[in-house]
Amino acid sequence: VTASSIYRYSFDRQIYSDNGRPFIIATGSETYSSLAEEYNLFECEILKFNNLKKKDMPRNKKIEAGTQVYIAKKKK
């Protein structure tokens, strides 16, 4: 297994940083599930990174355009 197969990031999208924590800006056409797949994460991980719970999220609900979506956990 190479590092590139473990960590996959889209080159079509700008990745920003908030105190070293990477995030993207939602376009309004994606879901947390689709973003998790795009960034090689589990859906539960991306929800946790954004302080959300799966039980509170309607299935396949689109993320509002302009929403900051964190793609890594908070640093301790």
Side-chain angles (χ1 to χ4, degrees), residues 27-74:
T27 63
S29 64
E30 61 265 307
T31 64
Y32 285 101
S33 180
S34 69
L35 288 177
E37 184 176 328
E38 183 177 341
Y39 291 96
N40 203 29
L41 300 166
F42 292 109
E43 183 180 10
C44 61
E45 288 178 305
I46 201 164
L47 291 173
K48 186 175 181 179
F49 299 160
N50 291 279
N51 297 319
L52 301 168
K53 296 182 192 257
K54 191 169 185 166
K55 66 178 181 143
D56 299 331
M57 297 299 299
R59 186 85 176 129
N60 295 323
K61 182 180 183 224
K62 301 278 186 203
I63 304 169
E64 187 176 328
T67 301
Q68 286 185 359
V69 180
Y70 290 95
I71 56 174
K73 65 182 177 179
K74 292 180 184 176

